Amino acid sequence: MGKYRIRVATGDSLLAGSSNLVQLWLVGEHGEKDLGKILRPIRTREVQLEVEVSLYLGRLLLVKLRKHKSLVGFDWFCKWIAVQGPGTQGEAFFPCYRWVQGNEIICLPEGTARTMRDDPQNQFKKHREQELEERRKVYRWGFWKEGLILPIAGNSQWDLPRNERFLEDKDLDFSLSLAKVLKDLALKGTLDLTNSVRRLEDFSKVFPRGKTPLAEQVRNSWKDDALFGYQFLNGANPMLLRRSTSLPSRLVLPPEMEDLKTQLEKELQTGSLFEADFSLLDGVKPNVIIFKQQYVAAPLVMLKLQPDGRLLPMVIQLQPPRNGCPPPVLFLPSDPPMAWLLAKTWVRSSDFQLHQLQSHLLRGHLIAEVISVATMRSLPSLHPIYKVVSTGSGGHVDILQRATAGLTYRSFCPPDDLADRGLLDVKSSLYGQDALRLWGAISRYVEKMVSLFYKSDGAVKDDPELQAWCSEITETGLQGAQDRGFPISLESRAQLCHFITMCIFTCTGQHASTHHGQLDWYSWIPNGPCTMRKPPPISKDVTEKDIVDALPGLHQARTQKTFIKFLGRRQPVMVALGQHKENYFSDPGPQAVLKQFQEELAALDKEIEVRNAGLDLPYEYLRPSMVENSVTI
């Protein structure tokens, strides 16, 4: 019995408010009270209410709400509800951060995270079960192609749950920007069909005016061997390079190249020989663009690491050897300049293919989608790990299927991945350095959070919701990835921390490392051509015209530039890692851990900024202030 003071916060996005009336209930240990239709939420406003309740409710457990539509229903984005009164011990906080739609009743538990073990009287058991039952109706697994990981069910953005779509401000920016670039492409692209590229310099016609400083450096230096090698370490796709442990079996060296073999073996013995193998592309069916056949290669590049940190190419093989065919031509830095440049251009085009499909789409977006769907289907909003994780023509299908078969758990964890690829001690791998430091910061954050809620390994093993979440990711979403090292159960706090760190890093830092570089490295088309119009060369008699004829035509080049500029631009509506405004925890312990995490990220950001100030090619893709809090585009 007594007076309750209620505060209700509505979101800031354009359509967050609603003219519909909202009914509220207070639910306590000893009963519940229907407060009636007492709220009309307004965008960006915090509404305060005072109500008298004659019933003694005891400690508040839940706030329930229902939005009633009149003639027209308007969705409402509720951020949170706070209640102060008898039995609340101060102000009780009930986080929501989601859209309220239709007229269903939504239950908001108080913001203290709880595992099932933390609820021995089963006060929240029914709520947890009902929440997951409703979520599984909305978050359903879909199917695309055999051999691929599962997506969420749906054919367009409108099929997605409302809470998984962009908020209106970001959606408006996305739509208007896309409309503008498509309009420009339609106007200028039509003229391109009647024009042709005659010299390499003609690609300046489609070089973006809003270029980045690094893109300008790429344009000026793209022919240099040092920049070619640098991209394997710190470019748009730093995921392919590995230290050689032997000479690749596909590298067939003719007798007249005995000196090259000696050089390669010398670098191998000193541990300075590296390779980038694009065999994943071998035999992939190429596309047909505007009635013209395109071509794909599967190169192998051998590189040596210099004492000064530069990575320089030694030999390029554009195709694997074939039975019954002469050995493929090997291209060398000593070859005629145009022949060597064409070989490197073919490598850059192959890297574009694997970057966009394997490193960016599959390892960034599609894996993040699996983690997100599994989280919504398996962890109720009361669960502490939900609160941690939530803050946070056929050729292309063939590539994705092949890449999916090679997804290993270790490859998603930088300490393991960099060790397996022999890059841990390569100081010029700025991606590697920054990935390790960011992983470490995330890992320490996760360990502190987990220690608040799991006091022993047994507590982890005995959490059925946690085990269901892990299994849902590995066995269902990833389609049985336990044979590639992904766990199907979590047996200890250390294993849990490692798994959560992997999930967070994949959806934040790993995606950022393969997303941000697109505008820098692909704006100058010859450095990252999206397609090739001639077969790979089989001789070294090459002219500039041969290179131009192999590169994309002007129309295709402008199309590439348009979408790279659109997708690779800095997002105006962006939330950096750890800087989310949502407050999912009401207890002070997790809030203190989050504050420590934010401070560590700020310190790391400053360290990278200072380091970059002394570099000719600054590496910024893993600066915490540049890493988005989730995969969005």
Side-chain angles (χ1 to χ4, degrees), residues 29 78-79 253 260 264 386 388 561 628:
E29 292 176 304
C78 176
K79 293 168 67 175
L253 296 169
L260 174 61
L264 290 169
Y386 171 87
V388 172
K561 183 269 297 191
E628 196 152 10

Side-chain angles (χ1 to χ4, degrees), residues 321-460:
R322 309 285 186 207
N323 290 331
C325 297
V329 177
L330 299 181
F331 293 85
L332 308 173
S334 58
D335 287 340
M338 287 297 156
W340 179 236
L341 183 61
L342 180 55
K344 290 191 294 182
T345 302
W346 264 103
V347 173
R348 296 300 313 133
S349 180
S350 300
D351 198 42
F352 182 98
Q353 310 300 324
L354 285 193
H355 166 240
Q356 296 292 9
L357 289 172
Q358 181 182 30
S359 301
H360 189 193
L361 175 61
L362 176 60
R363 297 178 61 89
H365 289 260
L366 299 185
I367 291 291
E369 191 168 316
V370 167
I371 294 170
S372 177
V373 174
T375 299
M376 298 305 291
R377 288 176 57 86
S378 303
L379 297 179
S381 55
L382 266 171
H383 200 284
I385 304 307
Y386 171 87
K387 295 175 181 284
V388 172
V389 174
S390 61
T391 63
S393 68
H396 63 295
V397 175
D398 193 11
I399 294 172
L400 285 172
Q401 288 169 329
R402 298 180 187 191
T404 299
L407 289 180
T408 66
Y409 185 41
R410 290 179 63 87
S411 71
F412 285 91
C413 308
D416 300 326
D417 175 57
L418 292 167
D420 292 344
R421 294 196 285 134
L423 296 175
L424 279 177
D425 61 346
V426 179
K427 295 181 180 179
S428 53
S429 173
L430 304 179
Y431 158 78
Q433 292 180 23
D434 293 355
L436 287 175
R437 291 197 287 179
L438 186 59
W439 171 277
I442 294 171
S443 178
R444 287 184 287 275
Y445 164 66
V446 169
E447 287 169 3
K448 291 173 184 175
M449 281 291 194
V450 166
S451 68
L452 293 175
F453 302 102
Y454 294 93
K455 303 304 181 183
S456 66
D457 292 343
V460 171

Side-chain angles (χ1 to χ4, degrees), residues 470-579:
C470 177
S471 176
E472 184 100 9
I473 289 176
T474 298
E475 295 195 284
T476 305
L478 297 181
Q479 292 286 275
Q482 57 267 37
D483 60 339
R484 299 192 297 278
F486 285 85
I488 57 173
S489 63
L490 299 168
E491 303 298 318
S492 67
R493 293 196 299 176
Q495 189 184 19
L496 170 61
C497 290
H498 196 75
F499 190 69
I500 298 172
T501 302
M502 181 278 295
C503 291
I504 295 176
F505 183 83
T506 297
C507 298
T508 56
Q510 193 58 62
H511 174 256
S513 72
T514 58
H515 171 77
H516 287 320
Q518 297 177 95
L519 199 56
D520 291 332
W521 297 102
Y522 299 148
S523 290
W524 180 242
I525 302 300
N527 188 65
C530 64
T531 189
M532 297 293 273
R533 297 183 296 157
K534 295 288 184 181
I538 55 175
S539 83
K540 298 183 180 182
D541 183 15
V542 176
T543 65
E544 181 178 2
K545 184 179 185 301
D546 293 323
I547 299 177
V548 168
D549 289 346
L551 287 167
L554 198 59
H555 180 268
Q556 191 64 23
R558 188 178 299 279
T559 301
Q560 173 180 330
K561 183 269 297 191
T562 297
F563 284 100
I564 288 300
K565 184 179 179 182
F566 171 65
L567 295 174
R569 68 196 173 103
R570 300 289 183 259
Q571 299 299 308
V573 183
M574 181 263 198
V575 179
L577 174 63
Q579 306 305 314

Side-chain angles (χ1 to χ4, degrees), residues 83-94:
V83 182
Q84 187 170 7
T88 62
Q89 296 181 343
E91 188 174 56
F93 184 75
F94 300 83

Side-chain angles (χ1 to χ4, degrees), residues 32 136 155 222 288 303 317 323 420 453 535 540 600 604:
E32 68 177 68
R136 288 168 185 150
N155 297 315
W222 71 284
V288 175
L303 309 102
Q317 180 194 63
N323 290 331
D420 292 344
F453 302 102
K540 298 183 180 182
E600 186 171 357
L604 175 56

